[in-house]
């Protein structure tokens, strides 16, 4: 059993997004999250099996999003859907923890890698963002910030 990640390898966490562009993307991601909570809009492909959810995106996007199975860590995969953010179609992977929906918006990273997890709160929702080596991630939920950071760190490890 592994212990907590050593402090030197943990990404920095900052309490705000940097640019007006990031603010616009955060607004679009939040709007997509809230819109999806309306009846019958949560997911396009319902599946707790990543081997069903991941192939569903093929032919619908110009990239293959990672769909990690985090169930052993307490994150139940619910499925996925398409959304449109920052002028492009994006993948949204939906997890659940104790009836809280967590939406992971992701698309290829065409910027520099920045492992710092940026966070903010808007309209009662937590929003996290970072640029991984291959993907840009935006995570939105009404789940508490500590647990949402735990999910972000788990996603970064896959």
């Amino acid at each position: 059993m592994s212990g907590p990640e050593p402090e030197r390898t943990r990404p920095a966490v900052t309490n705000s997004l940097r640019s007006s562009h990031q603010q616009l993307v955060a607004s679009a991601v939040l709007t997509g999250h809230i819109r999806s909570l309306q009846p019958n809009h949560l997911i396009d492909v319902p599946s707790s099996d990543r081997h069903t959810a991941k192939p569903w995106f093929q032919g619908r996007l110009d990239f293959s999003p990672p769909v990690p199975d985090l169930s052993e860590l307490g994150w139940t995969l619910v499925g996925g859907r398409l959304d449109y953010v920052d002028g492009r179609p994006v993948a949204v992977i939906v997890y659940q923890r104790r009836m809280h929906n967590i939406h992971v918006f992701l698309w290829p990273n065409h910027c520099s890698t920045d492992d710092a997890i940026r966070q903010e709160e808007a309209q009662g929702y937590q929003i996290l963002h970072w640029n991984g080596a291959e993907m840009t991630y935006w995570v939105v939920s009404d789940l508490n910030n500590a647990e949402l950071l735990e999910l972000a760190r788990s996603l970064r490890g896959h």
Side-chain angles (χ1 to χ4, degrees):
M1 183 167 167
S2 65
E5 219 178 338
E7 285 300 318
R8 69 181 186 288
T9 62
R10 284 190 179 207
V13 177
T14 59
N15 287 322
S16 66
L17 302 175
R18 289 181 286 179
S19 69
S20 60
H21 177 257
Q22 285 181 330
Q23 292 292 342
L24 290 172
V25 173
S27 178
V29 167
L30 178 59
T31 298
H33 174 79
I34 293 170
R35 182 178 49 249
S36 76
L37 298 177
Q38 302 303 313
N40 301 317
H41 288 88
L42 185 64
I43 49 179
D44 294 331
V45 57
S47 182
S48 60
D49 179 8
R50 71 186 192 101
H51 298 293
T52 299
K54 183 175 175 70
W56 180 87
F57 288 104
Q58 290 177 340
R60 292 176 171 89
L61 295 170
D62 61 356
F63 64 97
S64 179
V67 182
D69 179 359
L70 303 175
S71 59
E72 289 184 9
L73 301 173
W75 305 99
T76 303
L77 177 63
V78 176
R81 73 170 190 281
L82 299 177
D83 211 312
Y84 197 81
V85 175
D86 199 26
R88 68 163 299 137
V90 302
V92 183
I93 312 302
V94 181
Y95 291 94
Q96 206 170 56
R97 182 176 259 188
R98 294 186 321 278
M99 302 304 292
H100 294 273
N101 292 308
I102 302 105
H103 296 184
V104 180
F105 293 74
L106 64 155
W107 58 90
N109 179 16
H110 298 295
C111 303
S112 62
T113 300
D114 181 359
D115 282 340
I117 298 172
R118 307 210 179 277
Q119 62 185 25
E120 72 172 51
E121 184 176 339
Q123 300 179 34
Y125 294 95
Q126 300 296 322
I127 303 171
L128 303 180
H129 164 64
W130 71 96
N131 288 322
E134 296 180 14
M135 296 284 160
T136 293
Y137 290 84
W138 290 82
V139 180
V140 183
S141 182
D142 64 349
L143 187 66
N144 70 72
N145 193 51
E147 287 180 280
L148 208 56
L149 281 169
E150 177 186 323
L151 172 64
R153 289 182 176 118
S154 297
L155 288 168
R156 289 178 67 253
H158 280 85

